[in-house]
Amino acid sequence: MFTGLVQCKGKIISRGGGALIIRPEQQIENPLYGESIAVNGCCLTLENAGGGDLKFHTMEVSLRRTNLGILPVGSSVNLERALRMGDRLGGHIVQGHVDTAARVLECGRLPDGDFLLKVALDAEFAPLVVAKGSIAVDGVSLTVAEAGMDYFAVRLIPVTRQDTALAERSAGTQVNLEFDVLGRYVLRLDELRRSENKSSAITMDTLREAGFL
């Protein structure tokens, strides 16, 4: 379990043979064999930390469904160690289970000075993205500023661009997305009710009143 608050960046040193080697920009304090670390939002198991580099076993499905399989060697990635009981939950609940990798449509500064990141969104995932809701992009907890049927947009504060790998993303590159787990459960419950031909008491109004929107 993670929060989407990136602790440091790292660089891809090598990838192949089921192994992914990441060199963190800052030394990881007391790395533990077998611990979970989110790499660009993808939960991976640490196998070795000799010499300061982090070695993870990566299954083919993980490389295929995330941008970890296509980012060039030397690219920056975001790193976050698993949440400990008692830690501050400053972002939102992130599982490290990437739902999809999506294409960046636009990345640049707006006339008002804010920095916009606009990402393509498959129609099947559109119900999981709501304005002012949470989303993890390359493992970074962000607030949705715009939610369209085929895209969403977030705005990045200076510290996010400075301290995460999102500053390296540009139009055409892929980013990992994990949608809010609460939204997934609500959508699934609604699907089950509909399949049983039961009318759902859950409406947009009830979600809004409950504080989800």
Side-chain angles (χ1 to χ4, degrees):
M1 194 70 69
F2 306 91
T3 68
L5 299 184
V6 172
Q7 292 166 330
C8 73
K9 291 185 289 185
K11 289 191 179 296
I12 299 176
I13 300 302
S14 66
R15 174 181 54 225
L20 178 68
I21 309 296
I22 304 294
R23 181 167 296 162
E25 289 187 351
Q26 304 170 17
Q27 185 175 359
I28 301 294
E29 184 178 354
N30 298 322
L32 301 175
Y33 170 79
E35 74 167 289
S36 295
I37 297 179
V39 181
N40 265 9
C42 181
C43 180
L44 299 177
T45 300
L46 181 64
E47 290 192 337
N48 191 285
D53 289 347
L54 308 177
K55 178 182 178 182
F56 305 92
H57 176 78
T58 48
M59 295 185 292
E60 180 60 30
V61 66
S62 297
L63 296 177
R64 188 173 68 250
R65 293 185 178 180
T66 74
N67 62 8
L68 295 180
I70 59 175
L71 285 174
V73 171
S75 297
S76 291
V77 293
N78 297 316
L79 302 175
E80 181 189 355
R81 302 178 82 174
L83 180 69
R84 294 180 297 187
M85 293 298 293
D87 281 353
R88 291 185 177 90
L89 188 62
H92 73 282
I93 296 174
V94 178
Q95 295 180 302
H97 302 162
V98 173
D99 290 297
T100 188
R103 180 170 53 91
V104 173
L105 298 173
E106 182 182 340
C107 189
R109 195 172 299 279
L110 298 171
D112 62 10
D114 286 353
F115 200 89
L116 180 80
L117 180 67
K118 186 176 180 181
V119 181
L121 186 66
D122 287 344
E124 65 177 298
F125 298 122
L128 294 172
V129 181
V130 297
K132 299 183 182 179
S134 297
I135 191 167
V137 180
D138 272 354
V140 182
S141 175
L142 297 168
T143 300
V144 177
E146 301 174 34
M149 291 304 297
D150 59 358
Y151 79 95
F152 74 90
V154 295
R155 297 195 178 204
L156 308 180
I157 62 174
V159 69
T160 301
R161 296 196 64 239
Q162 174 183 310
D163 294 344
T164 76
L166 291 180
E168 290 190 8
R169 306 302 179 245
S170 58
T173 59
Q174 298 279 318
V175 289
N176 295 332
L177 304 180
E178 181 185 329
F179 305 106
D180 190 354
V181 64
L182 295 177
R184 288 205 296 264
Y185 279 116
V186 170
L187 185 63
R188 179 59 173 164
L189 286 171
D190 187 55
E191 289 175 348
L192 291 174
R193 285 180 177 273
R194 291 177 184 275
S195 68
E196 296 173 356
N197 294 319
K198 294 181 178 180
S199 60
S200 175
I202 300 175
T203 66
M204 294 300 289
D205 287 336
T206 56
L207 291 176
R208 190 175 293 107
E209 291 172 1
F212 287 103
L213 302 179

